Coordinates of all heavy atoms in Angstrom, one line a residue:
D1 N -23.0 0.3 -47.6 CA -23.0 -0.2 -46.2 C -24.5 -0.2 -45.7 O -25.2 0.8 -45.9 CB -22.2 0.6 -45.3 CG -20.7 0.6 -45.7 OD1 -20.3 -0.5 -46.1 OD2 -20.0 1.6 -45.7
G2 N -24.8 -1.3 -44.9 CA -26.1 -1.3 -44.3 C -26.0 -0.5 -42.9 O -25.0 -0.6 -42.2
W3 N -27.1 0.2 -42.5 CA -27.0 0.9 -41.3 C -28.2 0.5 -40.4 O -29.2 0.1 -40.8 CB -27.2 2.4 -41.6 CG -25.9 3.0 -42.3 CD1 -25.6 2.9 -43.6 CD2 -24.9 3.7 -41.7 NE1 -24.4 3.5 -43.8 CE2 -24.0 4.1 -42.7 CE3 -24.6 4.2 -40.4 CZ2 -22.8 4.8 -42.4 CZ3 -23.5 4.9 -40.1 CH2 -22.6 5.2 -41.1
V4 N -27.9 0.7 -39.1 CA -28.9 0.4 -38.1 C -29.1 1.6 -37.2 O -28.1 2.3 -36.8 CB -28.5 -0.9 -37.2 CG1 -29.5 -1.1 -36.1 CG2 -28.4 -2.1 -38.1
A5 N -30.3 1.9 -36.9 CA -30.6 3.1 -36.0 C -31.1 2.7 -34.7 O -32.0 1.8 -34.6 CB -31.6 4.0 -36.8
I6 N -30.6 3.4 -33.6 CA -31.1 3.2 -32.3 C -31.7 4.6 -31.9 O -31.0 5.6 -31.9 CB -30.0 2.9 -31.3 CG1 -29.2 1.7 -31.7 CG2 -30.6 2.6 -29.9 CD1 -28.0 1.5 -30.9
E7 N -33.0 4.6 -31.7 CA -33.7 5.9 -31.4 C -34.1 5.8 -29.9 O -34.9 4.9 -29.5 CB -34.9 6.1 -32.3 CG -34.5 6.3 -33.7 CD -35.8 6.6 -34.6 OE1 -36.9 6.5 -34.1 OE2 -35.6 6.8 -35.8
L8 N -33.7 6.8 -29.1 CA -34.0 6.9 -27.7 C -34.9 8.2 -27.6 O -34.5 9.3 -27.9 CB -32.7 7.1 -26.9 CG -32.9 7.1 -25.3 CD1 -31.7 6.5 -24.7 CD2 -33.2 8.5 -24.8
T9 N -36.1 8.0 -27.1 CA -37.1 9.1 -27.0 C -37.5 9.2 -25.6 O -37.9 8.2 -24.9 CB -38.3 8.8 -27.9 OG1 -37.9 8.6 -29.3 CG2 -39.3 10.0 -27.9
D10 N -37.5 10.4 -25.0 CA -38.0 10.7 -23.7 C -39.2 11.6 -23.7 O -39.5 12.2 -24.7 CB -36.8 11.2 -22.8 CG -36.3 12.6 -23.3 OD1 -37.1 13.5 -23.5 OD2 -35.1 12.7 -23.5
T11 N -39.8 11.7 -22.6 CA -40.9 12.6 -22.4 C -40.6 13.8 -21.5 O -41.5 14.3 -20.8 CB -42.1 11.8 -21.8 OG1 -41.8 11.3 -20.6 CG2 -42.6 10.8 -22.8
G12 N -39.3 14.2 -21.6 CA -38.9 15.3 -20.7 C -39.3 16.7 -21.3 O -40.2 16.8 -22.1
R13 N -38.6 17.7 -20.7 CA -39.0 19.1 -21.1 C -38.5 19.5 -22.4 O -38.8 20.6 -22.9 CB -38.5 20.0 -20.0 CG -37.0 20.0 -19.8 CD -36.5 21.0 -18.7 NE -35.1 21.0 -18.6 CZ -34.4 20.2 -17.9 NH1 -35.0 19.2 -17.2 NH2 -33.1 20.3 -17.8
G14 N -37.7 18.7 -23.1 CA -37.2 19.1 -24.4 C -36.0 20.0 -24.3 O -35.6 20.5 -23.2
I15 N -35.4 20.4 -25.4 CA -34.2 21.2 -25.5 C -34.6 22.5 -26.2 O -35.2 22.4 -27.3 CB -33.1 20.5 -26.2 CG1 -32.8 19.2 -25.6 CG2 -31.8 21.4 -26.3 CD1 -31.8 18.3 -26.4
P16 N -34.3 23.7 -25.7 CA -34.6 24.9 -26.4 C -33.9 24.9 -27.8 O -32.8 24.4 -27.9 CB -34.1 26.0 -25.5 CG -34.1 25.4 -24.1 CD -33.8 23.9 -24.3
P17 N -34.6 25.5 -28.8 CA -34.0 25.5 -30.1 C -32.5 26.1 -30.2 O -31.7 25.6 -30.9 CB -34.9 26.4 -31.0 CG -36.2 26.2 -30.2 CD -35.9 26.1 -28.8
G18 N -32.3 27.1 -29.4 CA -31.0 27.7 -29.4 C -29.9 26.9 -28.8 O -28.7 27.2 -28.9
E19 N -30.2 25.8 -28.1 CA -29.2 25.0 -27.4 C -29.0 23.7 -28.1 O -28.1 22.9 -27.6 CB -29.7 24.8 -25.9 CG -29.8 26.1 -25.1 CD -30.2 25.8 -23.7 OE1 -30.4 24.6 -23.3 OE2 -30.4 26.8 -22.9
V20 N -29.8 23.3 -29.1 CA -29.7 22.0 -29.7 C -28.3 21.8 -30.3 O -27.6 20.8 -30.2 CB -30.7 21.8 -30.8 CG1 -30.5 20.5 -31.6 CG2 -32.1 21.8 -30.1
D21 N -27.7 22.9 -31.0 CA -26.4 22.7 -31.6 C -25.3 22.8 -30.6 O -24.1 22.5 -31.0 CB -26.3 23.9 -32.6 CG -27.3 23.8 -33.8 OD1 -27.7 22.7 -34.1 OD2 -27.6 24.9 -34.4
R22 N -25.5 23.0 -29.4 CA -24.4 23.2 -28.4 C -24.4 22.0 -27.4 O -23.4 21.9 -26.6 CB -24.6 24.5 -27.6 CG -24.6 25.7 -28.5 CD -24.7 27.0 -27.7 NE -23.6 27.1 -26.7 CZ -23.6 28.0 -25.7 NH1 -24.7 28.8 -25.5 NH2 -22.6 28.0 -24.8
I23 N -25.3 21.1 -27.4 CA -25.4 20.1 -26.3 C -24.2 19.1 -26.4 O -23.9 18.5 -25.4 CB -26.7 19.3 -26.4 CG1 -26.9 18.6 -27.7 CG2 -27.9 20.3 -26.1 CD1 -28.1 17.8 -27.8
F24 N -23.6 19.0 -27.6 CA -22.4 18.1 -27.7 C -21.1 18.8 -27.4 O -20.1 18.1 -27.5 CB -22.4 17.4 -29.1 CG -23.6 16.5 -29.3 CD1 -24.6 16.9 -30.1 CD2 -23.7 15.3 -28.6 CE1 -25.7 16.0 -30.4 CE2 -24.7 14.4 -28.9 CZ -25.8 14.8 -29.7
D25 N -21.1 20.1 -27.1 CA -19.9 20.8 -26.8 C -19.4 20.4 -25.4 O -20.2 20.2 -24.5 CB -20.1 22.3 -26.8 CG -20.4 22.8 -28.2 OD1 -20.2 22.1 -29.2 OD2 -20.9 24.0 -28.4
P26 N -18.1 20.2 -25.3 CA -17.5 19.9 -24.0 C -17.8 20.9 -22.9 O -17.8 22.1 -23.2 CB -16.0 19.8 -24.2 CG -15.9 19.6 -25.7 CD -17.0 20.3 -26.3
F27 N -18.2 20.5 -21.7 CA -18.4 21.3 -20.5 C -19.7 22.2 -20.7 O -19.9 23.1 -19.9 CB -17.2 22.2 -20.2 CG -16.0 21.4 -19.8 CD1 -14.9 21.4 -20.7 CD2 -15.9 20.7 -18.7 CE1 -13.8 20.6 -20.4 CE2 -14.8 20.0 -18.4 CZ -13.7 19.9 -19.2
Y28 N -20.5 21.9 -21.7 CA -21.7 22.7 -21.8 C -22.8 21.9 -21.1 O -23.1 20.7 -21.5 CB -22.1 22.9 -23.3 CG -23.4 23.7 -23.4 CD1 -23.5 25.0 -23.3 CD2 -24.6 23.0 -23.7 CE1 -24.7 25.7 -23.4 CE2 -25.8 23.6 -23.8 CZ -25.8 25.0 -23.6 OH -27.0 25.7 -23.7
T29 N -23.5 22.5 -20.1 CA -24.6 21.8 -19.4 C -25.5 22.8 -18.9 O -25.1 24.0 -18.6 CB -24.0 21.0 -18.2 OG1 -25.1 20.3 -17.6 CG2 -23.2 21.9 -17.2
T30 N -26.8 22.4 -18.8 CA -27.8 23.3 -18.1 C -28.3 22.7 -16.8 O -29.2 23.3 -16.2 CB -29.0 23.4 -19.1 OG1 -29.5 22.1 -19.4 CG2 -28.6 24.1 -20.4
R31 N -27.7 21.6 -16.4 CA -28.0 21.0 -15.1 C -27.1 21.4 -14.0 O -25.9 21.3 -14.2 CB -28.0 19.4 -15.3 CG -28.5 18.7 -14.1 CD -28.6 17.2 -14.4 NE -27.3 16.7 -14.8 CZ -26.3 16.2 -13.9 NH1 -26.5 16.3 -12.6 NH2 -25.2 15.8 -14.4
P32 N -27.6 21.9 -12.9 CA -26.7 22.3 -11.8 C -25.9 21.1 -11.3 O -26.4 20.0 -11.1 CB -27.7 22.7 -10.7 CG -29.0 23.1 -11.4 CD -29.0 22.2 -12.6
G33 N -24.6 21.3 -11.2 CA -23.7 20.2 -10.8 C -23.2 19.3 -11.9 O -22.4 18.4 -11.6
G34 N -23.7 19.5 -13.1 CA -23.3 18.6 -14.2 C -22.0 19.1 -14.7 O -21.6 20.2 -14.7
A35 N -21.2 18.1 -15.2 CA -19.9 18.4 -15.8 C -19.9 18.8 -17.3 O -19.0 19.4 -17.8 CB -18.9 17.2 -15.6
G36 N -21.0 18.4 -18.0 CA -21.1 18.8 -19.4 C -20.2 18.0 -20.3 O -19.9 18.4 -21.4
L37 N -19.9 16.7 -19.9 CA -19.0 15.9 -20.7 C -19.7 14.6 -21.2 O -19.2 13.9 -22.1 CB -17.7 15.5 -20.0 CG -16.7 16.7 -19.8 CD1 -15.6 16.2 -18.9 CD2 -16.1 17.1 -21.1
G38 N -20.9 14.3 -20.7 CA -21.5 13.0 -21.0 C -21.8 12.9 -22.5 O -21.5 12.0 -23.2
L39 N -22.5 13.9 -23.0 CA -22.9 13.9 -24.5 C -21.7 14.1 -25.4 O -21.7 13.5 -26.5 CB -24.0 14.9 -24.7 CG -25.4 14.7 -24.1 CD1 -26.3 15.8 -24.5 CD2 -25.9 13.4 -24.6
A40 N -20.7 14.9 -24.9 CA -19.5 15.0 -25.7 C -18.8 13.7 -25.8 O -18.3 13.4 -26.9 CB -18.6 16.1 -25.1
I41 N -18.7 13.0 -24.7 CA -18.0 11.7 -24.8 C -18.8 10.7 -25.7 O -18.3 9.9 -26.4 CB -17.9 11.1 -23.3 CG1 -16.9 12.0 -22.5 CG2 -17.4 9.6 -23.4 CD1 -16.8 11.6 -21.1
T42 N -20.2 10.8 -25.6 CA -21.0 9.9 -26.4 C -20.8 10.1 -27.9 O -20.6 9.2 -28.7 CB -22.5 10.1 -26.0 OG1 -22.7 9.8 -24.7 CG2 -23.4 9.2 -26.9
R43 N -20.8 11.4 -28.3 CA -20.5 11.6 -29.7 C -19.1 11.2 -30.1 O -18.9 10.7 -31.2 CB -20.7 13.1 -30.0 CG -20.6 13.4 -31.5 CD -21.0 14.8 -31.9 NE -20.0 15.8 -31.4 CZ -20.0 17.1 -31.7 NH1 -20.9 17.6 -32.4 NH2 -19.0 17.9 -31.3
K44 N -18.1 11.4 -29.2 CA -16.8 10.9 -29.5 C -16.7 9.4 -29.8 O -16.1 8.9 -30.7 CB -15.8 11.3 -28.4 CG -14.4 11.2 -28.7 CD -14.0 12.5 -29.5 CE -12.5 12.5 -29.7 NZ -12.0 13.7 -30.5

């Protein structure tokens, strides 16, 4: 199978190493008022 990659790069503050493996977990967020479901839905 041929594959295509979409790379999205930002210039933000980055993600701490200890949190990279958890960012796709449901309801996990470090932003006040965030639901923590956006990245989980994206991976789904």
Side-chain angles (χ1 to χ4, degrees):
D1 297 322
W3 290 79
V4 175
I6 309 170
E7 294 182 355
L8 185 151
T9 304
D10 63 53
T11 57
R13 61 180 181 274
I15 306 171
E19 298 180 4
V20 172
D21 295 335
R22 301 181 59 192
I23 59 174
F24 293 107
D25 291 346
F27 298 109
Y28 179 80
T29 182
T30 57
R31 183 174 60 85
L37 287 172
L39 291 179
I41 293 172
T42 300
R43 187 172 70 172
K44 195 79 171 179

